[in-house]
Amino acid sequence: MIASPAVAPTLTSADVERIAALAHLELTAEEKALFTRQLADILAYAEQVQAVDTSGVPATAHVLAERTEREDELQPSLPREEALANAPDPAPEAGLFRVPRVIT
Amino acid sequence: MLDASARAIRDEIARGRATAVNVCRTFLDRIEAVNPSLNAFTLVAADRALARAADIDRRRAAGEPLGPLAGVPVAVKDNLCVRGVRTTASSRMLERFVPPYHATVVERLEAAGAVIVGKTNCDEFAMGSSNENSAFGPVRNPWATDRTPGGSSGGSAAAVAARCVPMALGSDTGGSIRQPAAFCGVVGLKPTYGRVSRYGLLAFASSLDQIGPIARNAADAALALAVLAGTDPADATSSRQPVPDFPSALSGDVTGLRLGVPRAVVSEGVDADVRRAFEAALDTLRRAGVALVDVELPHAKYAVPVYYLVATAEASSNLARYDGVRFGYRARAETEHDVKQMYSRTRDEGFGPEVKRRIMLGTYVLSAGYYDAYYLKAQQVRTLLRSDYQQAFESVDVVAMPTSPIPPFRLGEKTADPLQMYLADVFTVSANLAGLPAISIPCGFVERSEQPERSERLERLPVGLQLTGRMFDESTLLRMADAYERLTDWTRQAPSGPGVI
C-alpha cells in the first residue's frame, strides 16, 4: 500500500493505537499522547536512512559467517516442576500453566 | 585490598597470603558502605558468596587446583541468569523471577573460581544509556553522584569504579558496556559478536547483544575474557573460532600498529574537553610508536538511526515472550475470560516507558507497509557500514573514537527527550552493527561545575577512549589498551566524592 521509500510523514494517534494492539500493549491515554509525539520525532530522525543508495545491497540480519547446524539429538530439558516454578498461576498437580479462559 | 586487581587478588589467595572468605567479607563490607548512595546493586548474595569463598579456601587447603579467578569477587549484571538467584533485568516484569539455570558466562565464571557477590542494577532489559530506566531507581556515578553512571550496565561500571568489586559482567547491545565504563573511569570490553555465549542473557536484540567484562585495567579484562570466551552448544551463534591466550597478548609493545582516526566522524558534536582528552590520548599512542592514519567511515553518520531501527525491531520480537503465562508478572483482566486483555495489561503494567517505546517503534518498523522502508533499509545500510570497517581495516589495525561525545550528564537531564538520549550513542553502536570487538579505556578527565548557579565546586568526570578492532582480534585491542595504561595513570585513579568514601 505504501510505496518504498516514501514513508508516512507523520504518525497519528490512530497509528499508535494500531501498533499498540499489534504489540499487545494496553496503553493509557497519556502514554498514547506521549508516544505519538516521541515516536514521530524518532521516525523523522530515522528518515535520513532513505537518503542512502542501497540498490543491490544485501541486508545484514546478523554478522556471523559460520554454519551452526548440529545433530538433532534428544537432550535433557528442564524438569516440569522447575519450569512451572516461576509461573504466575501454575497448576503443578496437572503440570500445566493456567491462563484465563481462551474459548468462551 | 579494595584497590587490588583481580589478578593480584587471585595470586594472594593462591599463595595463601589471603583467604577467599576474608577477601569476600572485605568487598561485601564495601558494598554495604557505598551501595546506599550508589544503588549499583539490585541484590547482594552475601551468604551464597561467602559459602563459595569458603569452598575456594577449602580447595586450596586440600591442594586442589585453583582456577584463574579463584576467590575473585565478581558482580553480574541483573540481566544474566544465576540459578536460584533472583534475576530481574531491572524490570517490574521479572520482579520475582528466579532462574532455574545459569547463564553460560556464570557457569564459566564459577568454574574459574570467581565468587559472585551480587546482581547489578541496569536500564530495564538493558534499554538505555543512563541507567535511569531501571524499575529499581537510577544508579549514581561514583565520581559525581548527581550524574549518571551511563547505561545500560551502569551498576556494573559504578560497582567496579567504587571498588565494590574488582570486576563485573555487563552486556552491550549498542554501547552498554563501553559507555558506562567511560562514564565511570573503568575499562569495558565488548567482545566480537559470537565470541562469548549469550545463553542465559535476557535477550534484547539478538544480532547485536554481547556479554563482556568491566574491570579496572586491560589485564583484568583480558583475564576475564579468557574465562568467558569460547563456543557453547547452548548458543548457536557462539563462534568456534579458537580462543587465544588473551593475557599473554599484553606485551606492552605497540610499535608499528596502525591506528585509524575517522576524522569526519569525530569532527562534529564532540564536547571540546572530551575532544582534548581524545587528541591527547592519540598523541600518547603516537609517541609510543603507533602510526596514526586517517580513515573514512562514510556510513557511520547513519549508525544511530540504523541501530534504533534494527535493535527495536529485534526487541519487539524478543520481548513478545513476556505475556504473563510462563514466568514473570501477570495483571488481572476485568473478566476471567479475557486472555487478550490479560496479555496487554500485563505488558502495560510490567514494562517501563522506555521498553514500551522501543517495543512500539520495533513493532511499527516491522509492520506491513513499513518493513521495507525502515527495517530492510536499515539492514542494507548496516551492510554498507560493515563494508566501511572492512575497508578501513585494510589499512589500519584499530580504529579510535571517543567512547561518548559528551561527559557524564546529570540525572534527569535527558529523560524527557528519548531522541537526545539516543544521539549520545553515536560512537558505540557501530561496533555492534558490524559485530566488531571494541574496548573503552579511561583517557582523562573533564571538569564541570556541580550546580552551575549554586555552587563553585568542580566535579571531575572521566572520559573514555574507544578502540575498535577486527573481528576476533580482541588481542590487539587489549595490547593497545594495556600499553596506553602503562604510559598514563588514569586507571589508577579512584573516585573520592561524597557517598563514596
Side-chain angles (χ1 to χ4, degrees), chain B residues 229-249:
Chain B
T231 188
D232 173 14
D235 175 5
T237 64
S238 67
S239 172
R240 288 183 300 274
Q241 287 280 328
V243 177
D245 179 12
F246 295 111
S248 76

PDB file of all heavy atoms in Angstrom, chain B residues 229-249:
ATOM      1  N   ALA B 229      35.220 -16.574  27.045  1.00  0.00           N
ATOM      2  CA  ALA B 229      35.148 -16.822  25.601  1.00  0.00           C
ATOM      3  C   ALA B 229      35.087 -18.303  25.271  1.00  0.00           C
ATOM      4  O   ALA B 229      35.517 -19.151  26.041  1.00  0.00           O
ATOM      5  CB  ALA B 229      36.358 -16.190  24.921  1.00  0.00           C
ATOM      6  N   GLY B 230      34.522 -18.576  24.099  1.00  0.00           N
ATOM      7  CA  GLY B 230      34.537 -19.941  23.585  1.00  0.00           C
ATOM      8  C   GLY B 230      33.162 -20.425  23.181  1.00  0.00           C
ATOM      9  O   GLY B 230      32.146 -19.901  23.632  1.00  0.00           O
ATOM     10  N   THR B 231      33.166 -21.413  22.322  1.00  0.00           N
ATOM     11  CA  THR B 231      31.905 -21.908  21.770  1.00  0.00           C
ATOM     12  C   THR B 231      31.076 -22.612  22.846  1.00  0.00           C
ATOM     13  O   THR B 231      31.613 -23.080  23.842  1.00  0.00           O
ATOM     14  CB  THR B 231      32.191 -22.842  20.580  1.00  0.00           C
ATOM     15  OG1 THR B 231      30.955 -23.149  19.955  1.00  0.00           O
ATOM     16  CG2 THR B 231      32.854 -24.127  21.025  1.00  0.00           C
ATOM     17  N   ASP B 232      29.754 -22.619  22.607  1.00  0.00           N
ATOM     18  CA  ASP B 232      28.831 -23.178  23.594  1.00  0.00           C
ATOM     19  C   ASP B 232      27.681 -23.842  22.827  1.00  0.00           C
ATOM     20  O   ASP B 232      26.999 -23.170  22.051  1.00  0.00           O
ATOM     21  CB  ASP B 232      28.301 -22.022  24.464  1.00  0.00           C
ATOM     22  CG  ASP B 232      27.203 -22.469  25.416  1.00  0.00           C
ATOM     23  OD1 ASP B 232      27.016 -23.693  25.606  1.00  0.00           O
ATOM     24  OD2 ASP B 232      26.534 -21.583  25.984  1.00  0.00           O
ATOM     25  N   PRO B 233      27.476 -25.116  23.049  1.00  0.00           N
ATOM     26  CA  PRO B 233      26.388 -25.787  22.331  1.00  0.00           C
ATOM     27  C   PRO B 233      25.018 -25.165  22.610  1.00  0.00           C
ATOM     28  O   PRO B 233      24.101 -25.312  21.798  1.00  0.00           O
ATOM     29  CB  PRO B 233      26.441 -27.229  22.841  1.00  0.00           C
ATOM     30  CG  PRO B 233      27.469 -27.285  23.904  1.00  0.00           C
ATOM     31  CD  PRO B 233      28.242 -26.016  23.913  1.00  0.00           C
ATOM     32  N   ALA B 234      24.888 -24.442  23.712  1.00  0.00           N
ATOM     33  CA  ALA B 234      23.591 -23.853  24.045  1.00  0.00           C
ATOM     34  C   ALA B 234      23.329 -22.532  23.309  1.00  0.00           C
ATOM     35  O   ALA B 234      22.240 -21.988  23.403  1.00  0.00           O
ATOM     36  CB  ALA B 234      23.495 -23.632  25.558  1.00  0.00           C
ATOM     37  N   ASP B 235      24.338 -21.989  22.615  1.00  0.00           N
ATOM     38  CA  ASP B 235      24.143 -20.763  21.832  1.00  0.00           C
ATOM     39  C   ASP B 235      24.664 -21.004  20.419  1.00  0.00           C
ATOM     40  O   ASP B 235      25.869 -21.036  20.181  1.00  0.00           O
ATOM     41  CB  ASP B 235      24.886 -19.589  22.489  1.00  0.00           C
ATOM     42  CG  ASP B 235      24.810 -18.311  21.644  1.00  0.00           C
ATOM     43  OD1 ASP B 235      24.113 -18.300  20.596  1.00  0.00           O
ATOM     44  OD2 ASP B 235      25.464 -17.317  22.026  1.00  0.00           O
ATOM     45  N   ALA B 236      23.729 -21.156  19.488  1.00  0.00           N
ATOM     46  CA  ALA B 236      24.102 -21.473  18.105  1.00  0.00           C
ATOM     47  C   ALA B 236      24.891 -20.342  17.456  1.00  0.00           C
ATOM     48  O   ALA B 236      25.538 -20.539  16.435  1.00  0.00           O
ATOM     49  CB  ALA B 236      22.847 -21.763  17.283  1.00  0.00           C
ATOM     50  N   THR B 237      24.844 -19.129  18.022  1.00  0.00           N
ATOM     51  CA  THR B 237      25.621 -18.026  17.454  1.00  0.00           C
ATOM     52  C   THR B 237      26.981 -17.866  18.122  1.00  0.00           C
ATOM     53  O   THR B 237      27.715 -16.945  17.794  1.00  0.00           O
ATOM     54  CB  THR B 237      24.861 -16.684  17.560  1.00  0.00           C
ATOM     55  OG1 THR B 237      24.696 -16.351  18.946  1.00  0.00           O
ATOM     56  CG2 THR B 237      23.499 -16.751  16.886  1.00  0.00           C
ATOM     57  N   SER B 238      27.312 -18.751  19.062  1.00  0.00           N
ATOM     58  CA  SER B 238      28.656 -18.655  19.646  1.00  0.00           C
ATOM     59  C   SER B 238      29.636 -19.263  18.642  1.00  0.00           C
ATOM     60  O   SER B 238      29.361 -20.289  18.027  1.00  0.00           O
ATOM     61  CB  SER B 238      28.723 -19.366  20.998  1.00  0.00           C
ATOM     62  OG  SER B 238      28.566 -20.760  20.854  1.00  0.00           O
ATOM     63  N   SER B 239      30.773 -18.610  18.485  1.00  0.00           N
ATOM     64  CA  SER B 239      31.701 -18.964  17.419  1.00  0.00           C
ATOM     65  C   SER B 239      32.639 -20.102  17.814  1.00  0.00           C
ATOM     66  O   SER B 239      33.002 -20.235  18.990  1.00  0.00           O
ATOM     67  CB  SER B 239      32.536 -17.731  17.063  1.00  0.00           C
ATOM     68  OG  SER B 239      33.560 -18.114  16.177  1.00  0.00           O
ATOM     69  N   ARG B 240      33.024 -20.868  16.829  1.00  0.00           N
ATOM     70  CA  ARG B 240      34.024 -21.920  17.064  1.00  0.00           C
ATOM     71  C   ARG B 240      35.449 -21.439  16.788  1.00  0.00           C
ATOM     72  O   ARG B 240      36.391 -22.235  16.785  1.00  0.00           O
ATOM     73  CB  ARG B 240      33.699 -23.145  16.204  1.00  0.00           C
ATOM     74  CG  ARG B 240      32.467 -23.913  16.707  1.00  0.00           C
ATOM     75  CD  ARG B 240      32.198 -25.168  15.876  1.00  0.00           C
ATOM     76  NE  ARG B 240      31.965 -24.847  14.474  1.00  0.00           N
ATOM     77  CZ  ARG B 240      30.758 -24.502  13.974  1.00  0.00           C
ATOM     78  NH1 ARG B 240      29.717 -24.449  14.754  1.00  0.00           N
ATOM     79  NH2 ARG B 240      30.639 -24.232  12.689  1.00  0.00           N
ATOM     80  N   GLN B 241      35.617 -20.141  16.551  1.00  0.00           N
ATOM     81  CA  GLN B 241      36.974 -19.586  16.390  1.00  0.00           C
ATOM     82  C   GLN B 241      37.816 -19.935  17.612  1.00  0.00           C
ATOM     83  O   GLN B 241      37.325 -19.861  18.735  1.00  0.00           O
ATOM     84  CB  GLN B 241      36.904 -18.060  16.311  1.00  0.00           C
ATOM     85  CG  GLN B 241      36.362 -17.514  15.010  1.00  0.00           C
ATOM     86  CD  GLN B 241      37.411 -17.494  13.915  1.00  0.00           C
ATOM     87  OE1 GLN B 241      38.590 -17.313  14.194  1.00  0.00           O
ATOM     88  NE2 GLN B 241      36.985 -17.720  12.692  1.00  0.00           N
ATOM     89  N   PRO B 242      39.091 -20.305  17.391  1.00  0.00           N
ATOM     90  CA  PRO B 242      39.950 -20.590  18.546  1.00  0.00           C
ATOM     91  C   PRO B 242      40.076 -19.374  19.466  1.00  0.00           C
ATOM     92  O   PRO B 242      40.053 -18.235  19.003  1.00  0.00           O
ATOM     93  CB  PRO B 242      41.305 -20.949  17.920  1.00  0.00           C
ATOM     94  CG  PRO B 242      41.225 -20.559  16.487  1.00  0.00           C
ATOM     95  CD  PRO B 242      39.784 -20.472  16.107  1.00  0.00           C
ATOM     96  N   VAL B 243      40.167 -19.634  20.766  1.00  0.00           N
ATOM     97  CA  VAL B 243      40.291 -18.551  21.750  1.00  0.00           C
ATOM     98  C   VAL B 243      41.770 -18.387  22.085  1.00  0.00           C
ATOM     99  O   VAL B 243      42.382 -19.284  22.653  1.00  0.00           O
ATOM    100  CB  VAL B 243      39.487 -18.882  23.027  1.00  0.00           C
ATOM    101  CG1 VAL B 243      39.671 -17.790  24.068  1.00  0.00           C
ATOM    102  CG2 VAL B 243      38.005 -19.075  22.687  1.00  0.00           C
ATOM    103  N   PRO B 244      42.359 -17.232  21.735  1.00  0.00           N
ATOM    104  CA  PRO B 244      43.783 -17.041  22.055  1.00  0.00           C
ATOM    105  C   PRO B 244      44.003 -16.833  23.549  1.00  0.00           C
ATOM    106  O   PRO B 244      43.056 -16.603  24.295  1.00  0.00           O
ATOM    107  CB  PRO B 244      44.161 -15.787  21.265  1.00  0.00           C
ATOM    108  CG  PRO B 244      42.902 -15.110  20.885  1.00  0.00           C
ATOM    109  CD  PRO B 244      41.769 -16.063  21.062  1.00  0.00           C
ATOM    110  N   ASP B 245      45.254 -16.918  23.955  1.00  0.00           N
ATOM    111  CA  ASP B 245      45.597 -16.648  25.353  1.00  0.00           C
ATOM    112  C   ASP B 245      45.678 -15.125  25.519  1.00  0.00           C
ATOM    113  O   ASP B 245      46.728 -14.526  25.346  1.00  0.00           O
ATOM    114  CB  ASP B 245      46.940 -17.318  25.673  1.00  0.00           C
ATOM    115  CG  ASP B 245      47.373 -17.051  27.106  1.00  0.00           C
ATOM    116  OD1 ASP B 245      46.545 -16.557  27.905  1.00  0.00           O
ATOM    117  OD2 ASP B 245      48.545 -17.320  27.421  1.00  0.00           O
ATOM    118  N   PHE B 246      44.523 -14.527  25.822  1.00  0.00           N
ATOM    119  CA  PHE B 246      44.458 -13.057  25.844  1.00  0.00           C
ATOM    120  C   PHE B 246      45.478 -12.408  26.780  1.00  0.00           C
ATOM    121  O   PHE B 246      46.136 -11.446  26.388  1.00  0.00           O
ATOM    122  CB  PHE B 246      43.035 -12.591  26.170  1.00  0.00           C
ATOM    123  CG  PHE B 246      42.024 -12.954  25.125  1.00  0.00           C
ATOM    124  CD1 PHE B 246      41.040 -13.899  25.391  1.00  0.00           C
ATOM    125  CD2 PHE B 246      42.059 -12.367  23.863  1.00  0.00           C
ATOM    126  CE1 PHE B 246      40.098 -14.236  24.418  1.00  0.00           C
ATOM    127  CE2 PHE B 246      41.130 -12.705  22.885  1.00  0.00           C
ATOM    128  CZ  PHE B 246      40.150 -13.645  23.168  1.00  0.00           C
ATOM    129  N   PRO B 247      45.636 -12.900  28.021  1.00  0.00           N
ATOM    130  CA  PRO B 247      46.598 -12.213  28.907  1.00  0.00           C
ATOM    131  C   PRO B 247      48.018 -12.152  28.326  1.00  0.00           C
ATOM    132  O   PRO B 247      48.730 -11.173  28.540  1.00  0.00           O
ATOM    133  CB  PRO B 247      46.546 -13.052  30.193  1.00  0.00           C
ATOM    134  CG  PRO B 247      45.163 -13.634  30.199  1.00  0.00           C
ATOM    135  CD  PRO B 247      44.872 -13.940  28.743  1.00  0.00           C
ATOM    136  N   SER B 248      48.397 -13.165  27.553  1.00  0.00           N
ATOM    137  CA  SER B 248      49.779 -13.152  27.048  1.00  0.00           C
ATOM    138  C   SER B 248      49.951 -12.179  25.880  1.00  0.00           C
ATOM    139  O   SER B 248      51.061 -11.944  25.417  1.00  0.00           O
ATOM    140  CB  SER B 248      50.199 -14.563  26.626  1.00  0.00           C
ATOM    141  OG  SER B 248      49.605 -14.891  25.397  1.00  0.00           O
ATOM    142  N   ALA B 249      48.820 -11.605  25.394  1.00  0.00           N
ATOM    143  CA  ALA B 249      48.928 -10.634  24.301  1.00  0.00           C
ATOM    144  C   ALA B 249      49.426  -9.271  24.788  1.00  0.00           C
ATOM    145  O   ALA B 249      49.795  -8.412  23.993  1.00  0.00           O
ATOM    146  CB  ALA B 249      47.570 -10.466  23.625  1.00  0.00           C
TER     147      ALA B 249
END
